[in-house]
Amino acid sequence: VQLQASGGGSVQAGGSLRLSCAASGRAFSTYVVGWFRQAPGKEREFVANIGWDVYVKQYLESVKGRFTISRDNTKNTVYLQMLNLKPDDTAVYYCAAGKVMGQREIDFGFWGQGTLVTVSS
């Protein structure tokens, strides 16, 4: 599975962005897909994931109610809708695919390149 993340950009606090993770390769619909982020000077952290059946989702506590993960298996794409963005959300966002509903980097064997999100106050 090859992944390509896009949709990052610069917004002011309170703004919104939608990230996309487009996948190529077979059986994408059978993979769990996650979003991670890495802020400057910090370790990469889990943000959200979604199961293959689109119903099971998990979120980082600090993004609950503001971020929504979704997927369209007909388009081999997973989205991360981000609302009410805060300066603390500034980071490089990565999408990843794996076979378990996990929140650790080790749970995901395939990674896309990152897309930068910058939120100014």
Side-chain angles (χ1 to χ4, degrees), residues 6-12 17 19 82 85 90-91 115-120:
S6 62
S10 297
V11 297
Q12 291 189 327
L17 284 172
L19 306 183
M82 305 185 295
L85 283 160
T90 294
T115 185
L116 177 63
V117 172
T118 304
V119 184
S120 58

Side-chain angles (χ1 to χ4, degrees), residues 56-106:
V56 181
K57 305 174 185 181
Q58 298 174 336
Y59 294 96
L60 176 69
E61 191 65 32
S62 63
V63 308
K64 285 182 179 178
R66 299 188 298 120
F67 290 12
T68 302
I69 190 170
S70 62
R71 69 190 297 165
D72 185 342
N73 287 333
T74 66
K75 297 181 179 180
N76 277 8
T77 302
V78 171
Y79 305 98
L80 185 68
Q81 178 68 56
M82 305 185 295
L83 304 177
N84 190 22
L85 283 160
K86 303 176 180 181
D88 284 348
D89 296 319
T90 294
V92 176
Y93 284 72
Y94 300 87
C95 62
K99 285 295 189 176
V100 297
M101 198 68 185
Q103 299 183 10
R104 304 171 302 168
E105 293 184 49
I106 198 173

Side-chain angles (χ1 to χ4, degrees), residues 1-2 23-29 76:
V1 176
Q2 292 183 318
S24 60
R26 298 189 301 176
F28 171 72
S29 62
N76 277 8

Side-chain angles (χ1 to χ4, degrees), residues 29-32 50-57 71 73 101:
S29 62
T30 67
Y31 284 84
V32 173
I50 185 167
W52 62 271
D53 64 357
V54 316
Y55 296 112
V56 181
K57 305 174 185 181
R71 69 190 297 165
N73 287 333
M101 198 68 185

